[in-house]
């Protein structure tokens, strides 16, 4: 016999309240980091530990255990850290961190997938770092005209996705370019006519749109289940930091252009580093802009970070008065970020950049001091665990709103999910009920 759940006065009051409410489930949230250099540190015998000092045998597996559920890896066309040609007109300087070729990404991507995590592929469409200040065309593609370059972007992207899929590393998210606020594939270093500044001639946006459409089409054709991310980083309204960005002008302009050109994408990816972009309120302002201008799109912070000790080199904004350069300060930053993002239903992803950097045991020099592992001890910082909390409220009872008691068709569990019929503790017709265990 079915009975209303009523055992004590307290329970009665609870059920009376629940009788007027129903639950809805939040969309899945994703949290993790960019771990593109992890094999470098593993090969160098870096020692990863928990916060309490227990050795971690596999960082990817451990990240899943603490609550992270996605990881990001970048891919270069012909990475300069592996093949540097001094006679090249590019005259690249070798960077050991620019080493992620397709085989590298296959192996690391498969590890991510095997750990039960989602895999985000970050296509740089360059032989070296691509960011707002440099989007240089791969050397092998530099002599192509625009039509041939667009075809090459398509064929290259399709090949990458096919080989990743065959290797068991098919991505769940694909960034078609890295920090492409002002376009991509500008040509050889020093090219000045192919950038898409907000005041650029329309022709440059025409060219960029053709290239980007080809990249997106390749993803749709090659990995139709993958979500396409457009990644930008103009998230500061502080004109002293980003002069063209008063009132988020560059951010608004970019997505207005994407709409004008009919670019197909699913997610807006943002970079946010306090020491470059400014206060957390600047990021929240950018998110509010996107909520208004692109209400149907989800947003992910695909790059963020903050130091656990001393300032990051070339910092242009001092946030140490808010978050100290310490383990506690880094944790406080992560907590503030997770809390703020949690206020925005359109935000469904948070990724820490270069989270895996760890010089402990590896003998590395020139420390990067804003990862989630302390190079002085090898131990995870407190922020590592704080960050993982971002995905913890993506299931379960997450929202309550009035519900008509006339819904006689559906039965729900206490997480708001439809179930096949009455069993255990369930909600039906606006009331919480229970099938007693005999």
């Amino acid at each position: 016999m079915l009975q209303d759940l009523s055992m004590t006065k307290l329970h009665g009051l609870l059920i009376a309240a629940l009788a007027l409410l129903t639950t809805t489930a939040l969309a899945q949230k994703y949290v993790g980091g960019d771990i593109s250099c992890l094999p470098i540190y593993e090969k160098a015998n870096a020692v990863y530990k928990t916060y309490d000092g227990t050795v971690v045998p596999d960082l990817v597996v451990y990240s899943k255990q603490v609550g992270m559920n996605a990881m990001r890896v970048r891919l270069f066309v012909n990475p300069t850290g592996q093949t540097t040609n001094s006679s090249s007109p590019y005259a690249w300087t070798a960077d050991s961190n620019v080493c992620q070729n397709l085989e590298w990404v296959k192996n690391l991507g498969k590890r991510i997938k095997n750990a039960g995590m989602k895999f985000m592929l970050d296509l740089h469409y360059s032989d070296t770092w691509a960011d707002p200040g440099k989007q240089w065309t791969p050397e092998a593609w530099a002599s192509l005209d625009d039509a041939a370059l667009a075809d090459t972007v398509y064929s290259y992207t399709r090949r990458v996705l096919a080989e990743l899929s065959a290797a068991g590393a098919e991505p769940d998210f694909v960034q078609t370019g890295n920090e492409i606020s002002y376009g991509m594939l500008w040509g050889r270093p020093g090219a000045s006519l192919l950038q898409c500044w907000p005041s650029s001639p329309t022709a440059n946006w025409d060219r960029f749109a053709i290239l980007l459409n080809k990249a997106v089409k390749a993803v749709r054709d090659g990995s139709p289940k993958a979500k396409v991310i457009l990644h930008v980083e103009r998230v500061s309204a502080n004109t002293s930091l980003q002069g063209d960005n008063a009132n988020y002008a560059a951010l608004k302009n970019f997505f207005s252009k994407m709409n004008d050109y009919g670019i197909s994408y699913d997610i807006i990816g943002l970079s946010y580093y306090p020491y470059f972009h400014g206060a957390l309120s600047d990021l929240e302002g950018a998110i509010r802009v996107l909520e208004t201008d692109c209400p149907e799109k989800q947003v992910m912070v695909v790059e963020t970070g903050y130091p656990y000790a001393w300032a990051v080199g070339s910092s242009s904004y001092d946030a140490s008065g808010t978050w100290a350069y310490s383990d506690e300060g880094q944790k406080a930053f992560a907590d503030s970020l997770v809390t703020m993002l949690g206020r925005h239903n359109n935000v469904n992803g948070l990724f820490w950049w270069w989270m895996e950097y760890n010089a402990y045991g590896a003998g590395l020099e020139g420390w990067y001091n804003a990862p989630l592992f302390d190079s002085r001890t090898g131990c995870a910082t407190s922020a590592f665990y704080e960050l993982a909390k971002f995905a913890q409220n993506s299931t379960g009872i997450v929202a309550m709103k009035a519900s008509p008691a006339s819904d006689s068709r559906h039965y729900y569990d206490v997480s708001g999910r439809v179930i096949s019929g009455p069993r255990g503790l369930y909600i039906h017709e606006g009331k919480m009920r229970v099938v007693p265990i005999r």
Side-chain angles (χ1 to χ4, degrees):
M1 176 179 177
L2 302 182
Q3 299 177 353
D4 287 347
L5 181 63
S6 178
M7 293 180 288
T8 67
K9 184 176 180 180
L10 178 62
H11 286 164
L13 291 172
L14 174 62
I15 301 311
L18 287 172
L20 301 176
L21 302 170
T22 190
T23 61
T24 57
L26 273 181
Q28 175 68 55
K29 291 185 177 181
Y30 302 95
V31 65
D34 189 307
I35 56 170
S36 299
C37 285
L38 179 60
I40 295 176
Y41 310 131
E42 291 176 330
K43 185 177 180 180
N45 299 314
V47 180
Y48 289 91
K49 302 177 186 179
T50 67
Y51 179 81
D52 295 326
T54 302
V55 173
V56 173
D58 187 321
L59 176 57
V60 178
V61 172
Y62 181 63
S63 297
K64 180 70 161 58
Q65 291 171 348
V66 302
M68 294 183 177
N69 57 11
M71 290 294 172
R72 175 183 188 247
V73 181
R74 59 181 170 265
L75 173 64
F76 300 103
V77 177
N78 291 302
T80 58
Q82 294 186 340
T83 55
T84 301
N85 181 356
S86 60
S87 64
S88 163
Y90 284 71
W92 299 124
T93 299
D95 182 338
S96 60
N97 297 312
V98 182
C99 58
Q100 292 78 20
N101 62 14
L102 186 51
E103 287 303 312
W104 184 286
V105 176
K106 285 180 189 178
N107 293 330
L108 190 49
K110 185 176 182 179
R111 283 180 63 184
I112 293 166
K113 300 285 281 190
N114 286 347
M117 306 177 86
K118 300 296 185 182
F119 169 36
M120 181 186 294
L121 174 65
D122 178 16
L123 292 165
H124 272 239
Y125 291 121
S126 182
D127 293 338
T128 190
W129 301 109
D131 58 42
K134 51 185 183 297
Q135 293 280 339
W136 308 128
T137 304
E139 184 174 0
W141 305 355
S143 61
L144 300 176
D145 62 28
D146 288 347
L149 180 61
D151 289 341
T152 299
V153 167
Y154 179 86
S155 61
Y156 166 78
T157 306
R158 282 296 304 271
R159 177 175 66 84
V160 164
L161 295 173
E163 292 196 27
L164 287 173
S165 180
E170 185 171 8
D172 303 281
F173 307 99
V174 180
Q175 286 185 215
T176 49
N178 186 79
E179 294 188 334
I180 54 173
S181 307
Y182 302 123
M184 64 185 189
L185 294 159
W186 290 345
R188 286 188 160 89
S192 61
L193 299 178
L194 302 179
Q195 291 90 336
C196 294
W197 311 124
S199 58
S200 293
T202 303
N204 294 347
W205 285 96
D206 290 346
R207 174 184 181 274
F208 175 38
I210 291 170
L211 297 173
L212 189 55
N213 265 317
K214 284 287 191 176
V216 172
K217 186 177 188 311
V219 178
R220 301 300 192 203
D221 293 345
S223 290
K225 293 182 180 179
K227 301 296 185 182
V228 172
I229 301 174
L230 298 189
H231 177 200
V232 298
E233 48 57 73
R234 300 284 94 172
V235 298
S236 175
N238 187 331
T239 56
S240 68
L241 297 175
Q242 299 179 17
D244 67 342
N245 207 27
N247 298 316
Y248 305 102
L251 184 69
K252 292 179 179 181
N253 180 73
F254 183 91
F255 287 103
S256 175
K257 293 289 188 183
M258 296 302 99
N259 183 63
D260 291 345
Y261 284 101
I263 304 297
S264 171
Y265 67 99
D266 305 297
I267 298 170
I268 295 169
L270 302 176
S271 295
Y272 170 64
Y273 299 97
Y275 43 89
F276 294 142
H277 293 107
L280 191 58
S281 58
D282 277 336
L283 174 61
E284 186 162 28
I287 291 171
R288 289 191 177 116
V289 165
L290 297 172
E291 287 172 333
T292 299
D293 292 359
C294 309
E296 75 287 2
K297 301 299 182 183
Q298 293 177 313
V299 175
M300 289 183 170
V301 177
V302 297
E303 291 186 22
T304 194
Y306 196 76
Y308 62 77
W310 66 86
V312 171
S314 302
S315 294
S316 53
Y317 181 86
D318 183 0
S320 61
T322 303
W323 308 295
Y325 297 142
S326 64
D327 180 81
E328 295 79 8
Q330 189 192 54
K331 177 184 177 182
F333 165 71
D335 176 66
S336 298
L337 182 59
V338 167
T339 299
M340 184 276 285
L341 296 179
R343 295 196 291 264
H344 298 274
N345 292 333
N346 63 327
V347 178
N348 74 328
L350 176 58
F351 294 80
W352 197 279
W353 190 70
W354 211 354
M355 62 164 274
E356 81 284 19
Y357 183 88
N358 182 10
Y360 186 74
L364 300 175
E365 298 180 354
W367 288 2
Y368 173 62
N369 55 305
L372 295 177
F373 288 85
D374 191 329
S375 287
R376 298 167 296 191
T377 63
C379 294
T381 64
S382 300
F384 179 75
Y385 305 93
E386 201 67 28
L387 190 77
K389 294 178 181 178
F390 177 74
Q392 291 177 4
N393 65 345
S394 61
T395 58
I397 297 176
V398 296
M400 293 285 190
K401 53 187 178 183
S403 170
S406 59
D407 180 9
S408 61
R409 296 176 54 203
H410 298 112
Y411 297 83
Y412 302 88
D413 65 14
V414 293
S415 294
R417 297 169 297 208
V418 175
I419 58 178
S420 59
R423 63 177 187 270
L425 184 64
Y426 68 97
I427 298 170
H428 181 58
E429 295 183 326
K431 292 184 179 181
M432 182 174 285
R433 303 173 184 272
V434 67
V435 176
I437 300 174
R438 303 287 184 184

